[in-house]
Amino acid sequence: MLRQLTRKAASPVLFSPTYRAFHQSSVVFSGRESGAIGEAGGAFSKKGHAQEDQYYRQLQAEQLRKLKGQHKEHIQNHQLEIKRLQALIEKHKEDIDELEECVGDLKK
């Protein structure tokens, strides 16, 4: 049993730096009607619930903006890495061409 747990914990997907867990959920409180105003109901209770819901919607919107910014930053970093690796590939191809010329000169 412990061996299975350690194998699952060592999964590369769980500890991958590019893995991001995002969970969208609505906020539900079991004690939402607690308190004198909440129990009484009425306009104050409705206003309080509306303000609370608005706060959590704004909080979620801010989290989504941050997540979007992080994804854009990751894309830029990956594009720079692609350019760097393509330059290395071209250099290696040039080195191969030079070596083939040297081999051709030796055969003559």
Side-chain angles (χ1 to χ4, degrees):
M1 178 79 161
L2 181 60
R3 190 176 308 156
Q4 291 174 347
L5 291 175
T6 56
R7 285 183 186 159
K8 288 181 183 178
S11 172
V13 175
L14 295 177
F15 297 107
S16 173
T18 58
Y19 175 75
R20 299 283 186 261
F22 180 73
H23 178 68
Q24 183 178 4
S25 65
S26 60
V27 178
V28 178
F29 294 107
S30 60
R32 192 168 195 172
E33 297 295 327
S34 63
I37 294 176
E39 291 173 2
F44 283 119
S45 177
K46 289 179 184 177
K47 182 180 178 185
H49 292 309
Q51 288 175 340
E52 184 179 345
D53 291 340
Q54 181 182 9
Y55 169 78
Y56 283 108
R57 280 193 305 272
Q58 288 175 347
L59 182 66
Q60 188 176 32
E62 179 63 29
Q63 290 172 341
L64 288 171
R65 277 192 292 274
K66 286 181 182 180
L67 184 64
K68 184 177 178 181
Q70 289 174 351
H71 282 298
K72 285 183 178 182
E73 184 179 329
H74 285 279
I75 289 170
Q76 290 174 349
N77 290 337
H78 291 309
Q79 288 172 340
L80 289 173
E81 184 70 11
I82 288 169
K83 288 179 184 177
R84 184 185 72 81
L85 291 172
Q86 285 175 339
L88 279 173
I89 289 171
E90 290 301 318
K91 183 180 181 319
H92 288 302
K93 286 181 179 180
E94 291 172 3
D95 291 344
I96 289 172
D97 291 339
E98 288 177 16
L99 290 172
E100 287 176 353
E101 288 176 10
C102 290
V103 170
D105 290 342
L106 290 176
K107 288 184 179 180
K108 290 181 183 179

